[in-house]
Amino acid sequence: SGSVDCTIKIWKPDATRDLMDLKPWFRPMQVIEGFNGWVNCLWAAPDILPGDTGELIVGDMSGTLSTYRTSSTIDEKGRASHSLKLLRRKRKFSALGITSVSSIPELNMIVCATNENNIRVCDALSFKFISKIENEENTTFTSIYWNPDEEELILIDKASYLYVYKHSTRKLIVKIKVQNNPMQLTLEMNTIILCGLFSVALWNIVRTRPTKEYKCHTAPVVGMYIKP
């Protein structure tokens, strides 16, 4: 969790509550400091703790982009403990602040939305700039989701538009107006879930084969026969 106190807290379930048959509860196991702005966007690998390859990507409102990696230690009694250590950091990645972050692990890339009204793609190891997507409505992108199955980048912005970009061609393939003030999005079973200030909306993805239109008649078509 990130906070306006410019820190991150890593939480884990309290095992003692399981013994007492109580509802799950969480307690902080690590506090990460050193940020110059509100920590408002995080992306974590599914196996962040424990795990030797767990990773946390952080963007803050000062425009700093940081990556943390899981570090494991074993004490004298053979008990393992896990924590996150700073791997790399780039200050002023964005001049006006980062609003959302995501990762494309299979391509070794990081995607960031910024208050400069654009999406920036960079190399995950060096933070070297790769490409940029400008917002057509001249507003801020608020959430990012990478669809690995179709290699698509799904975005929403403050103007309530949903965008789908094809990574291989880097072209916009879908742009539609959705609910008012969408803040977060995710994808589950070909359904885009959008969370707004006062509601949640579901959009089904329907994929069809490519079609082509032929225009030959100069007036409306009133009859047609298809050979079986």
Side-chain angles (χ1 to χ4, degrees):
S1 61
S3 172
V4 297
D5 63 5
C6 303
T7 66
I8 293 174
K9 287 188 177 180
I10 309 297
W11 305 78
K12 67 180 298 184
D14 190 345
T16 59
R17 295 183 66 87
D18 289 336
L19 298 176
M20 295 183 290
D21 197 24
L22 298 174
K23 291 183 178 180
W25 196 252
F26 292 82
R27 60 180 179 84
M29 61 170 290
Q30 183 181 356
V31 178
I32 303 176
E33 300 176 328
F35 300 97
N36 295 327
W38 293 2
V39 183
N40 61 317
C41 48
L42 308 164
W43 181 91
D47 56 349
I48 180 171
L49 289 175
D52 295 332
T53 59
E55 199 164 85
L56 176 68
I57 302 172
V58 183
D60 65 33
M61 290 305 290
S62 73
T64 299
L65 180 65
S66 308
T67 302
Y68 290 81
R69 179 67 58 84
T70 301
S71 176
S72 302
T73 58
I74 300 177
D75 61 17
E76 297 176 351
K77 296 182 179 180
R79 293 174 298 189
S81 61
H82 310 278
S83 63
L84 290 171
K85 302 293 184 182
L86 180 64
L87 186 63
R88 63 186 65 87
R89 171 170 287 166
K90 184 172 184 178
R91 299 191 184 277
K92 298 302 179 182
F93 181 84
S94 166
L96 301 179
I98 301 171
T99 59
S100 183
V101 295
S102 186
S103 176
I104 308 179
E106 55 269 33
L107 299 177
N108 203 32
M109 295 178 181
I110 295 175
V111 184
C112 298
T114 74
N115 277 321
E116 287 101 322
N117 301 338
N118 58 39
I119 294 291
R120 297 183 185 180
V121 181
C122 69
D123 181 80
L125 296 178
S126 64
F127 288 168
K128 183 179 180 180
F129 174 81
I130 297 176
S131 63
K132 181 168 60 174
I133 300 173
E134 297 289 347
N135 188 290
E136 295 183 349
E137 302 297 322
N138 196 29
T139 189
T140 303
F141 291 105
T142 57
S143 189
I144 305 168
Y145 189 89
W146 169 251
N147 180 4
D149 296 332
E150 300 293 335
E151 294 191 347
E152 295 169 345
L153 194 61
I154 306 173
L155 313 167
I156 54 173
D157 66 15
K158 288 185 177 180
S160 301
Y161 280 97
L162 169 71
Y163 306 81
V164 180
Y165 283 86
K166 191 70 174 179
H167 174 73
S168 58
T169 60
R170 298 187 179 181
K171 291 184 178 180
L172 178 65
I173 57 176
V174 173
K175 178 183 177 182
I176 56 173
K177 189 82 170 181
V178 292
Q179 68 187 79
N180 292 334
N181 301 317
M183 301 299 293
Q184 294 288 335
L185 72 89
T186 188
L187 180 68
E188 188 70 31
M189 299 294 291
N190 278 332
T191 300
I192 297 176
I193 304 173
L194 297 175
C195 178
L197 291 176
F198 304 105
S199 62
V200 174
L202 305 180
W203 288 77
N204 289 328
I205 300 175
V206 180
R207 302 184 184 276
T208 58
R209 293 183 177 180
T211 59
K212 188 173 183 179
E213 183 179 10
Y214 293 90
K215 295 182 179 180
C216 297
H217 287 279
T218 58
V221 176
V222 296
M224 183 175 64
Y225 173 77
I226 300 176
K227 184 177 179 179

